Short mmCIF file of all heavy atoms in Angstrom, two decimals:
data_model
loop_
_atom_site.label_atom_id
_atom_site.label_comp_id
_atom_site.label_asym_id
_atom_site.label_seq_id
_atom_site.Cartn_x
_atom_site.Cartn_y
_atom_site.Cartn_z
N HIS A 87 -113.67 47.80 -97.09
CA HIS A 87 -114.12 46.41 -97.13
C HIS A 87 -115.57 46.37 -97.60
O HIS A 87 -116.47 46.08 -96.84
CB HIS A 87 -113.99 45.77 -95.75
CG HIS A 87 -112.59 45.77 -95.23
ND1 HIS A 87 -112.13 46.72 -94.36
CD2 HIS A 87 -111.55 44.94 -95.48
CE1 HIS A 87 -110.87 46.47 -94.07
NE2 HIS A 87 -110.49 45.42 -94.75
N GLN A 88 -115.77 46.66 -98.85
CA GLN A 88 -117.12 46.75 -99.41
C GLN A 88 -117.64 45.37 -99.77
O GLN A 88 -116.91 44.48 -100.18
CB GLN A 88 -117.10 47.64 -100.65
CG GLN A 88 -118.46 48.06 -101.08
CD GLN A 88 -118.41 49.17 -102.11
OE1 GLN A 88 -117.39 49.44 -102.70
NE2 GLN A 88 -119.53 49.82 -102.31
N LEU A 89 -118.94 45.20 -99.62
CA LEU A 89 -119.59 43.94 -99.97
C LEU A 89 -119.62 43.76 -101.48
O LEU A 89 -119.81 44.73 -102.22
CB LEU A 89 -121.02 43.93 -99.44
CG LEU A 89 -121.18 44.01 -97.93
CD1 LEU A 89 -122.64 44.24 -97.57
CD2 LEU A 89 -120.66 42.75 -97.27
N PRO A 90 -119.49 42.52 -101.96
CA PRO A 90 -119.61 42.29 -103.39
C PRO A 90 -121.06 42.49 -103.84
O PRO A 90 -122.00 42.38 -103.05
CB PRO A 90 -119.18 40.83 -103.56
CG PRO A 90 -119.24 40.22 -102.22
CD PRO A 90 -119.14 41.32 -101.22
N ASN A 91 -121.24 42.78 -105.09
CA ASN A 91 -122.57 43.08 -105.64
C ASN A 91 -123.59 41.97 -105.39
O ASN A 91 -124.74 42.25 -105.12
CB ASN A 91 -122.48 43.38 -107.13
CG ASN A 91 -121.87 44.73 -107.39
OD1 ASN A 91 -121.96 45.65 -106.56
ND2 ASN A 91 -121.23 44.88 -108.52
N TYR A 92 -123.18 40.72 -105.47
CA TYR A 92 -124.14 39.62 -105.33
C TYR A 92 -124.60 39.43 -103.87
O TYR A 92 -125.53 38.66 -103.61
CB TYR A 92 -123.59 38.31 -105.90
CG TYR A 92 -122.32 37.80 -105.24
CD1 TYR A 92 -122.36 36.94 -104.15
CD2 TYR A 92 -121.07 38.16 -105.74
CE1 TYR A 92 -121.20 36.48 -103.57
CE2 TYR A 92 -119.91 37.69 -105.17
CZ TYR A 92 -119.98 36.85 -104.08
OH TYR A 92 -118.83 36.37 -103.51
N ILE A 93 -124.02 40.14 -102.93
CA ILE A 93 -124.44 40.06 -101.53
C ILE A 93 -125.24 41.30 -101.13
O ILE A 93 -126.03 41.27 -100.20
CB ILE A 93 -123.22 39.87 -100.61
CG1 ILE A 93 -122.65 38.48 -100.86
CG2 ILE A 93 -123.56 40.07 -99.15
CD1 ILE A 93 -121.49 38.11 -100.02
N LYS A 94 -125.11 42.36 -101.86
CA LYS A 94 -125.78 43.62 -101.51
C LYS A 94 -127.30 43.50 -101.42
O LYS A 94 -127.94 44.20 -100.65
CB LYS A 94 -125.40 44.71 -102.51
CG LYS A 94 -123.96 45.15 -102.37
CD LYS A 94 -123.61 46.23 -103.36
CE LYS A 94 -122.17 46.67 -103.20
NZ LYS A 94 -121.83 47.77 -104.10
N LYS A 95 -127.88 42.58 -102.15
CA LYS A 95 -129.34 42.43 -102.15
C LYS A 95 -129.91 42.01 -100.79
O LYS A 95 -131.09 42.19 -100.53
CB LYS A 95 -129.78 41.43 -103.21
CG LYS A 95 -129.28 40.02 -102.98
CD LYS A 95 -129.63 39.13 -104.14
CE LYS A 95 -128.96 37.76 -103.99
NZ LYS A 95 -129.19 36.95 -105.20
N TYR A 96 -129.09 41.51 -99.90
CA TYR A 96 -129.53 41.08 -98.58
C TYR A 96 -129.59 42.23 -97.58
O TYR A 96 -129.99 42.04 -96.43
CB TYR A 96 -128.63 39.97 -98.05
CG TYR A 96 -128.50 38.81 -98.99
CD1 TYR A 96 -127.27 38.41 -99.48
CD2 TYR A 96 -129.63 38.12 -99.44
CE1 TYR A 96 -127.16 37.35 -100.37
CE2 TYR A 96 -129.53 37.07 -100.32
CZ TYR A 96 -128.30 36.68 -100.78
OH TYR A 96 -128.19 35.64 -101.66
N PHE A 97 -129.23 43.41 -98.00
CA PHE A 97 -129.19 44.59 -97.12
C PHE A 97 -130.07 45.69 -97.71
O PHE A 97 -129.63 46.80 -97.94
CB PHE A 97 -127.74 45.07 -96.96
CG PHE A 97 -126.85 44.02 -96.35
CD1 PHE A 97 -126.22 43.07 -97.14
CD2 PHE A 97 -126.68 43.97 -94.97
CE1 PHE A 97 -125.42 42.09 -96.58
CE2 PHE A 97 -125.88 43.00 -94.40
CZ PHE A 97 -125.25 42.06 -95.21
N TRP A 98 -131.33 45.38 -97.94
CA TRP A 98 -132.24 46.26 -98.65
C TRP A 98 -132.62 47.51 -97.88
O TRP A 98 -133.01 48.49 -98.48
CB TRP A 98 -133.51 45.49 -99.04
CG TRP A 98 -134.22 44.88 -97.87
CD1 TRP A 98 -135.13 45.49 -97.05
CD2 TRP A 98 -134.04 43.57 -97.38
NE1 TRP A 98 -135.54 44.63 -96.07
CE2 TRP A 98 -134.89 43.43 -96.25
CE3 TRP A 98 -133.26 42.48 -97.76
CZ2 TRP A 98 -134.97 42.26 -95.52
CZ3 TRP A 98 -133.36 41.31 -97.03
CH2 TRP A 98 -134.19 41.21 -95.93
N GLU A 99 -132.53 47.51 -96.55
CA GLU A 99 -133.02 48.63 -95.78
C GLU A 99 -131.95 49.68 -95.44
O GLU A 99 -132.25 50.67 -94.78
CB GLU A 99 -133.71 48.14 -94.50
CG GLU A 99 -132.80 47.86 -93.33
CD GLU A 99 -131.96 46.60 -93.44
OE1 GLU A 99 -131.77 46.05 -94.53
OE2 GLU A 99 -131.46 46.17 -92.40
N VAL A 100 -130.73 49.46 -95.86
CA VAL A 100 -129.64 50.39 -95.55
C VAL A 100 -128.92 50.80 -96.83
O VAL A 100 -129.09 50.18 -97.88
CB VAL A 100 -128.62 49.76 -94.57
CG1 VAL A 100 -129.26 49.46 -93.23
CG2 VAL A 100 -127.98 48.53 -95.15
N ASP A 101 -128.10 51.83 -96.72
CA ASP A 101 -127.26 52.23 -97.85
C ASP A 101 -126.08 51.25 -97.89
O ASP A 101 -125.11 51.40 -97.16
CB ASP A 101 -126.77 53.66 -97.68
CG ASP A 101 -125.97 54.15 -98.86
OD1 ASP A 101 -125.66 53.34 -99.76
OD2 ASP A 101 -125.65 55.36 -98.90
N VAL A 102 -126.20 50.26 -98.69
CA VAL A 102 -125.25 49.14 -98.72
C VAL A 102 -123.83 49.57 -99.09
O VAL A 102 -122.86 48.93 -98.70
CB VAL A 102 -125.76 48.02 -99.64
CG1 VAL A 102 -125.64 48.39 -101.09
CG2 VAL A 102 -125.06 46.72 -99.37
N ASP A 103 -123.70 50.66 -99.80
CA ASP A 103 -122.37 51.13 -100.18
C ASP A 103 -121.61 51.75 -99.01
O ASP A 103 -120.43 52.05 -99.13
CB ASP A 103 -122.48 52.13 -101.33
CG ASP A 103 -122.96 51.45 -102.61
OD1 ASP A 103 -122.58 50.28 -102.83
OD2 ASP A 103 -123.72 52.07 -103.35
N LYS A 104 -122.30 51.91 -97.88
CA LYS A 104 -121.63 52.43 -96.69
C LYS A 104 -121.32 51.34 -95.67
O LYS A 104 -120.79 51.63 -94.60
CB LYS A 104 -122.50 53.50 -96.04
CG LYS A 104 -122.62 54.74 -96.90
CD LYS A 104 -123.41 55.81 -96.20
CE LYS A 104 -123.49 57.04 -97.08
NZ LYS A 104 -124.29 58.10 -96.46
N ILE A 105 -121.65 50.09 -95.97
CA ILE A 105 -121.38 48.99 -95.05
C ILE A 105 -119.97 48.48 -95.27
O ILE A 105 -119.61 48.04 -96.36
CB ILE A 105 -122.37 47.83 -95.25
CG1 ILE A 105 -123.79 48.27 -94.93
CG2 ILE A 105 -121.98 46.64 -94.37
CD1 ILE A 105 -124.82 47.23 -95.21
N ASP A 106 -119.19 48.52 -94.22
CA ASP A 106 -117.84 47.97 -94.22
C ASP A 106 -117.90 46.68 -93.41
O ASP A 106 -118.11 46.72 -92.19
CB ASP A 106 -116.86 48.96 -93.59
CG ASP A 106 -115.41 48.51 -93.65
OD1 ASP A 106 -115.16 47.29 -93.58
OD2 ASP A 106 -114.54 49.38 -93.76
N TYR A 107 -117.78 45.54 -94.07
CA TYR A 107 -117.96 44.28 -93.36
C TYR A 107 -116.88 44.04 -92.31
O TYR A 107 -117.07 43.24 -91.38
CB TYR A 107 -118.06 43.09 -94.32
CG TYR A 107 -116.82 42.78 -95.12
CD1 TYR A 107 -115.79 42.03 -94.56
CD2 TYR A 107 -116.69 43.19 -96.43
CE1 TYR A 107 -114.65 41.71 -95.29
CE2 TYR A 107 -115.57 42.89 -97.17
CZ TYR A 107 -114.55 42.14 -96.60
OH TYR A 107 -113.43 41.83 -97.33
N TYR A 108 -115.78 44.73 -92.39
CA TYR A 108 -114.74 44.62 -91.36
C TYR A 108 -115.17 45.33 -90.07
O TYR A 108 -114.86 44.88 -88.97
CB TYR A 108 -113.43 45.21 -91.88
CG TYR A 108 -112.26 45.02 -90.95
CD1 TYR A 108 -111.59 43.80 -90.88
CD2 TYR A 108 -111.83 46.06 -90.14
CE1 TYR A 108 -110.53 43.62 -90.02
CE2 TYR A 108 -110.76 45.91 -89.28
CZ TYR A 108 -110.11 44.68 -89.22
OH TYR A 108 -109.06 44.51 -88.37
N LEU A 109 -115.92 46.41 -90.21
CA LEU A 109 -116.39 47.15 -89.05
C LEU A 109 -117.66 46.57 -88.44
O LEU A 109 -117.93 46.75 -87.25
CB LEU A 109 -116.64 48.62 -89.43
CG LEU A 109 -115.41 49.41 -89.86
CD1 LEU A 109 -115.82 50.81 -90.30
CD2 LEU A 109 -114.38 49.46 -88.75
N TYR A 110 -118.47 45.90 -89.25
CA TYR A 110 -119.75 45.36 -88.80
C TYR A 110 -119.88 43.87 -89.14
O TYR A 110 -120.83 43.45 -89.81
CB TYR A 110 -120.90 46.14 -89.43
CG TYR A 110 -120.82 47.62 -89.20
CD1 TYR A 110 -120.38 48.47 -90.20
CD2 TYR A 110 -121.15 48.15 -87.96
CE1 TYR A 110 -120.28 49.84 -89.96
CE2 TYR A 110 -121.06 49.51 -87.73
CZ TYR A 110 -120.62 50.35 -88.74
OH TYR A 110 -120.53 51.69 -88.51
N PRO A 111 -118.96 43.04 -88.68
CA PRO A 111 -118.99 41.63 -89.09
C PRO A 111 -120.19 40.84 -88.57
O PRO A 111 -120.70 39.96 -89.27
CB PRO A 111 -117.68 41.07 -88.52
CG PRO A 111 -117.36 41.94 -87.37
CD PRO A 111 -117.86 43.32 -87.77
N GLU A 112 -120.67 41.17 -87.38
CA GLU A 112 -121.82 40.44 -86.84
C GLU A 112 -123.08 40.71 -87.65
O GLU A 112 -123.85 39.81 -87.95
CB GLU A 112 -122.06 40.80 -85.36
CG GLU A 112 -120.94 40.37 -84.44
CD GLU A 112 -119.85 41.43 -84.28
OE1 GLU A 112 -119.93 42.51 -84.92
OE2 GLU A 112 -118.90 41.16 -83.52
N TYR A 113 -123.27 41.97 -87.99
CA TYR A 113 -124.44 42.35 -88.78
C TYR A 113 -124.41 41.67 -90.14
O TYR A 113 -125.39 41.08 -90.58
CB TYR A 113 -124.46 43.88 -88.94
CG TYR A 113 -125.52 44.41 -89.86
CD1 TYR A 113 -126.86 44.21 -89.60
CD2 TYR A 113 -125.16 45.12 -91.00
CE1 TYR A 113 -127.83 44.70 -90.45
CE2 TYR A 113 -126.13 45.63 -91.85
CZ TYR A 113 -127.45 45.41 -91.57
OH TYR A 113 -128.42 45.90 -92.42
N VAL A 114 -123.28 41.72 -90.80
CA VAL A 114 -123.14 41.10 -92.12
C VAL A 114 -123.32 39.59 -92.00
O VAL A 114 -124.02 38.97 -92.81
CB VAL A 114 -121.78 41.46 -92.75
CG1 VAL A 114 -121.52 40.66 -94.00
CG2 VAL A 114 -121.72 42.96 -93.03
N THR A 115 -122.73 39.00 -90.99
CA THR A 115 -122.84 37.55 -90.80
C THR A 115 -124.29 37.14 -90.59
O THR A 115 -124.76 36.18 -91.21
CB THR A 115 -121.99 37.11 -89.58
OG1 THR A 115 -120.63 37.42 -89.85
CG2 THR A 115 -122.13 35.63 -89.32
N GLU A 116 -124.99 37.87 -89.75
CA GLU A 116 -126.39 37.53 -89.48
C GLU A 116 -127.22 37.59 -90.75
O GLU A 116 -128.02 36.70 -91.03
CB GLU A 116 -126.96 38.48 -88.44
CG GLU A 116 -128.37 38.13 -88.04
CD GLU A 116 -128.90 39.00 -86.92
OE1 GLU A 116 -128.11 39.67 -86.24
OE2 GLU A 116 -130.13 39.01 -86.75
N ARG A 117 -127.03 38.62 -91.54
CA ARG A 117 -127.80 38.77 -92.78
C ARG A 117 -127.51 37.65 -93.77
O ARG A 117 -128.41 37.09 -94.38
CB ARG A 117 -127.49 40.12 -93.43
CG ARG A 117 -128.31 41.22 -92.89
CD ARG A 117 -129.78 40.82 -93.03
NE ARG A 117 -130.62 41.78 -92.41
CZ ARG A 117 -131.23 42.77 -93.05
NH1 ARG A 117 -131.09 42.91 -94.34
NH2 ARG A 117 -131.97 43.61 -92.39
N VAL A 118 -126.24 37.36 -93.95
CA VAL A 118 -125.87 36.31 -94.92
C VAL A 118 -126.35 34.95 -94.44
O VAL A 118 -126.85 34.15 -95.24
CB VAL A 118 -124.35 36.32 -95.19
CG1 VAL A 118 -123.95 35.13 -96.04
CG2 VAL A 118 -123.94 37.62 -95.87
N LEU A 119 -126.25 34.67 -93.15
CA LEU A 119 -126.75 33.39 -92.64
C LEU A 119 -128.26 33.28 -92.80
O LEU A 119 -128.78 32.20 -93.11
CB LEU A 119 -126.38 33.22 -91.16
CG LEU A 119 -124.91 32.99 -90.86
CD1 LEU A 119 -124.68 32.99 -89.35
CD2 LEU A 119 -124.42 31.68 -91.46
N GLU A 120 -128.96 34.37 -92.59
CA GLU A 120 -130.42 34.33 -92.67
C GLU A 120 -130.94 34.30 -94.11
O GLU A 120 -131.86 33.55 -94.42
CB GLU A 120 -131.01 35.55 -91.95
CG GLU A 120 -132.52 35.60 -91.94
CD GLU A 120 -133.16 34.50 -91.10
OE1 GLU A 120 -132.52 33.98 -90.17
OE2 GLU A 120 -134.33 34.15 -91.38
N TYR A 121 -130.37 35.10 -94.99
CA TYR A 121 -130.93 35.26 -96.32
C TYR A 121 -130.04 34.77 -97.47
O TYR A 121 -130.52 34.65 -98.59
CB TYR A 121 -131.24 36.75 -96.57
CG TYR A 121 -132.21 37.32 -95.59
CD1 TYR A 121 -131.80 38.24 -94.63
CD2 TYR A 121 -133.54 36.93 -95.60
CE1 TYR A 121 -132.69 38.78 -93.71
CE2 TYR A 121 -134.45 37.46 -94.68
CZ TYR A 121 -134.01 38.38 -93.74
OH TYR A 121 -134.90 38.89 -92.83
N GLY A 122 -128.80 34.53 -97.19
CA GLY A 122 -127.85 34.23 -98.26
C GLY A 122 -128.01 32.88 -98.92
O GLY A 122 -128.58 31.95 -98.35
N ASP A 123 -127.47 32.79 -100.11
CA ASP A 123 -127.44 31.53 -100.84
C ASP A 123 -126.05 30.90 -100.67
O ASP A 123 -125.24 31.36 -99.87
CB ASP A 123 -127.77 31.77 -102.32
CG ASP A 123 -126.84 32.77 -102.99
OD1 ASP A 123 -125.79 33.12 -102.42
OD2 ASP A 123 -127.16 33.21 -104.11
N ILE A 124 -125.79 29.84 -101.39
CA ILE A 124 -124.51 29.13 -101.28
C ILE A 124 -123.34 30.04 -101.61
O ILE A 124 -122.33 30.05 -100.91
CB ILE A 124 -124.51 27.88 -102.19
CG1 ILE A 124 -125.52 26.85 -101.70
CG2 ILE A 124 -123.12 27.27 -102.28
CD1 ILE A 124 -125.19 26.26 -100.35
N ARG A 125 -123.47 30.81 -102.67
CA ARG A 125 -122.38 31.71 -103.07
C ARG A 125 -122.08 32.72 -101.96
O ARG A 125 -120.92 32.97 -101.64
CB ARG A 125 -122.76 32.42 -104.36
CG ARG A 125 -121.65 33.26 -104.93
CD ARG A 125 -122.09 33.87 -106.23
NE ARG A 125 -121.01 34.64 -106.83
CZ ARG A 125 -121.19 35.55 -107.77
NH1 ARG A 125 -122.39 35.77 -108.27
NH2 ARG A 125 -120.16 36.21 -108.25
N ALA A 126 -123.11 33.28 -101.37
CA ALA A 126 -122.93 34.24 -100.28
C ALA A 126 -122.31 33.56 -99.06
O ALA A 126 -121.46 34.14 -98.38
CB ALA A 126 -124.27 34.87 -99.92
N SER A 127 -122.70 32.34 -98.79
CA SER A 127 -122.14 31.59 -97.65
C SER A 127 -120.66 31.32 -97.85
O SER A 127 -119.87 31.42 -96.91
CB SER A 127 -122.89 30.27 -97.46
OG SER A 127 -124.24 30.51 -97.17
N HIS A 128 -120.27 31.00 -99.06
CA HIS A 128 -118.84 30.79 -99.36
C HIS A 128 -118.06 32.09 -99.16
O HIS A 128 -116.96 32.08 -98.59
CB HIS A 128 -118.65 30.28 -100.79
CG HIS A 128 -119.00 28.84 -100.95
ND1 HIS A 128 -118.11 27.83 -100.68
CD2 HIS A 128 -120.14 28.25 -101.32
CE1 HIS A 128 -118.69 26.67 -100.90
NE2 HIS A 128 -119.93 26.89 -101.28
N TRP A 129 -118.63 33.19 -99.60
CA TRP A 129 -117.97 34.49 -99.40
C TRP A 129 -117.80 34.76 -97.90
O TRP A 129 -116.74 35.18 -97.45
CB TRP A 129 -118.79 35.61 -100.05
CG TRP A 129 -118.21 36.95 -99.77
CD1 TRP A 129 -117.25 37.60 -100.48
CD2 TRP A 129 -118.50 37.79 -98.65
NE1 TRP A 129 -116.93 38.79 -99.87
CE2 TRP A 129 -117.68 38.92 -98.74
CE3 TRP A 129 -119.37 37.69 -97.56
CZ2 TRP A 129 -117.72 39.95 -97.81
CZ3 TRP A 129 -119.41 38.71 -96.64
CH2 TRP A 129 -118.58 39.83 -96.77
N LEU A 130 -118.87 34.50 -97.13
CA LEU A 130 -118.83 34.73 -95.69
C LEU A 130 -117.68 33.94 -95.04
O LEU A 130 -116.91 34.49 -94.26
CB LEU A 130 -120.17 34.32 -95.07
CG LEU A 130 -120.32 34.59 -93.59
CD1 LEU A 130 -120.51 36.08 -93.35
CD2 LEU A 130 -121.50 33.82 -93.04
N LEU A 131 -117.55 32.69 -95.39
CA LEU A 131 -116.50 31.84 -94.82
C LEU A 131 -115.10 32.31 -95.21
O LEU A 131 -114.15 32.10 -94.46
CB LEU A 131 -116.70 30.39 -95.25
CG LEU A 131 -117.91 29.70 -94.61
CD1 LEU A 131 -118.16 28.35 -95.29
CD2 LEU A 131 -117.72 29.54 -93.12
N GLU A 132 -114.98 32.95 -96.35
CA GLU A 132 -113.67 33.43 -96.80
C GLU A 132 -113.29 34.80 -96.20
O GLU A 132 -112.11 35.11 -96.10
CB GLU A 132 -113.66 33.56 -98.33
CG GLU A 132 -113.69 32.23 -99.04
CD GLU A 132 -113.77 32.40 -100.56
OE1 GLU A 132 -113.62 33.54 -101.06
OE2 GLU A 132 -114.00 31.40 -101.23
N HIS A 133 -114.28 35.59 -95.80
CA HIS A 133 -114.01 36.97 -95.40
C HIS A 133 -114.30 37.32 -93.95
O HIS A 133 -113.83 38.36 -93.47
CB HIS A 133 -114.77 37.94 -96.31
CG HIS A 133 -114.26 37.93 -97.70
ND1 HIS A 133 -114.73 37.05 -98.65
CD2 HIS A 133 -113.30 38.65 -98.30
CE1 HIS A 133 -114.08 37.25 -99.78
NE2 HIS A 133 -113.21 38.22 -99.59
N ILE A 134 -115.06 36.51 -93.27
CA ILE A 134 -115.41 36.79 -91.88
C ILE A 134 -114.76 35.73 -91.00
O ILE A 134 -114.81 34.54 -91.30
CB ILE A 134 -116.94 36.79 -91.67
CG1 ILE A 134 -117.62 37.82 -92.59
CG2 ILE A 134 -117.30 37.05 -90.21
CD1 ILE A 134 -117.30 39.26 -92.30
N ASN A 135 -114.20 36.18 -89.89
CA ASN A 135 -113.54 35.29 -88.95
C ASN A 135 -114.51 34.20 -88.48
O ASN A 135 -115.65 34.50 -88.12
CB ASN A 135 -113.04 36.13 -87.76
CG ASN A 135 -112.25 35.34 -86.77
OD1 ASN A 135 -112.77 34.42 -86.14
ND2 ASN A 135 -111.00 35.72 -86.61
#
Side-chain angles (χ1 to χ4, degrees):
H87 301 97
Q88 194 167 16
L89 297 170
N91 287 332
Y92 61 90
I93 291 182
K94 290 180 179 183
K95 63 186 173 187
Y96 306 122
F97 300 87
W98 57 85
E99 84 286 19
V100 297
D101 184 352
V102 74
D103 293 324
K104 293 184 179 178
I105 296 175
D106 184 327
Y107 66 82
Y108 186 79
L109 296 176
Y110 306 103
E112 295 90 358
Y113 173 62
V114 171
T115 298
E116 184 175 343
R117 275 305 175 97
V118 173
L119 289 174
E120 182 67 25
Y121 300 110
D123 57 13
I124 293 294
R125 186 177 183 197
S127 298
H128 284 275
W129 175 88
L130 184 73
L131 289 170
E132 290 176 9
H133 292 88
I134 303 293
N135 184 296

